[in-house]
Amino acid sequence: MKTTQETRRALSNWLAHAQDGSEQAWLEWETSGVALLPLGRRFNAVRMPEPLVYAALDTTEPQEVARFLTQVLAGPVIYDGRTMGGTYYALVEPREQTDEPRAWKHEGAAPLLSDGTFLGVPRLDRTQPPGTHWIVRPAFEGDLCSERWVAAFVAKGRRASEESI
């Protein structure tokens, strides 16, 4: 059975290999606590604005938000409070390169970020503010949110936001 330290090392390696050479990610985690990783290889991300997340969960209390996101999305979520007034990023599986890509119905409210985009991914021990940190860390290598569940969550947040207007 792996120790917590061994598990974190394996998860960090898995995340770092989103790049061709993982050394840069390790260097960035060591120096700044956040590594810029390319999307589209290991994972994509759905960028969810703070107000949309709060509307979907009907709370702004940080512990409740973390608990609900863990239950509802069942996968890793990053929070960046330094950009665009607070943003949550749900990590989802990368899409296969096919002739006819599936449409993402929430592009205006919560864009699906992929190839050509870099995401600031915090070191696994960064679970509190300040700065970019994990709300829900990955539990195992390959642990990602279901795109379908994230889409349903975003739709709920959009409906709740519209109802409050």
Side-chain angles (χ1 to χ4, degrees), residues 10-26 28-29 35-44 91-92 94 114-121 134 144:
L11 286 171
S12 295
N13 274 327
W14 177 75
L15 290 167
H17 278 89
Q19 298 176 330
D20 287 331
S22 63
E23 301 82 19
Q24 183 63 33
W26 285 102
E28 291 174 16
W29 282 325
L36 282 177
L37 299 180
L39 298 177
R41 182 174 177 186
R42 292 273 169 156
F43 47 86
N44 287 341
L91 302 186
V92 296
S114 187
D115 293 324
T117 305
F118 285 77
L119 179 66
V121 176
W134 292 99
L144 297 167

Side-chain angles (χ1 to χ4, degrees), residues 14-165:
W14 177 75
L15 290 167
H17 278 89
Q19 298 176 330
D20 287 331
S22 63
E23 301 82 19
Q24 183 63 33
W26 285 102
L27 177 64
E28 291 174 16
W29 282 325
E30 184 66 32
T31 57
S32 69
V34 177
L36 282 177
L37 299 180
L39 298 177
R41 182 174 177 186
R42 292 273 169 156
F43 47 86
N44 287 341
V46 176
R47 183 174 61 213
M48 303 179 294
E50 200 170 64
L52 182 133
V53 171
Y54 292 166
L57 298 175
D58 195 28
T59 185
T60 61
E61 200 281 312
Q63 281 82 17
E64 286 185 19
V65 169
R67 183 168 51 86
F68 289 150
L69 286 176
T70 300
Q71 293 170 352
V72 172
L73 298 183
V77 179
I78 295 170
Y79 178 77
D80 184 353
R82 298 177 294 171
T83 61
M84 302 185 309
T87 306
Y88 291 84
Y89 295 90
L91 302 186
V92 296
E93 287 190 35
R95 290 176 163 207
E96 296 294 323
Q97 300 298 328
T98 61
D99 291 46
E100 292 191 37
R102 296 184 317 262
W104 175 251
K105 298 176 183 176
H106 307 289
E107 198 60 39
L112 175 64
L113 308 175
S114 187
D115 293 324
T117 305
F118 285 77
L119 179 66
V121 176
R123 235 181 11 234
L124 287 174
D125 63 351
R126 289 183 61 136
T127 58
Q128 298 292 321
T132 303
H133 60 278
W134 292 99
I135 297 296
V136 183
R137 288 185 293 208
F140 53 87
E141 294 174 52
D143 183 21
L144 297 167
C145 300
S146 160
E147 187 178 306
R148 187 178 68 221
W149 292 357
V150 175
F153 179 77
V154 170
K156 180 181 179 185
R158 291 177 75 181
R159 282 190 308 273
S161 295
E162 290 169 4
E163 291 170 4
S164 68
I165 295 177

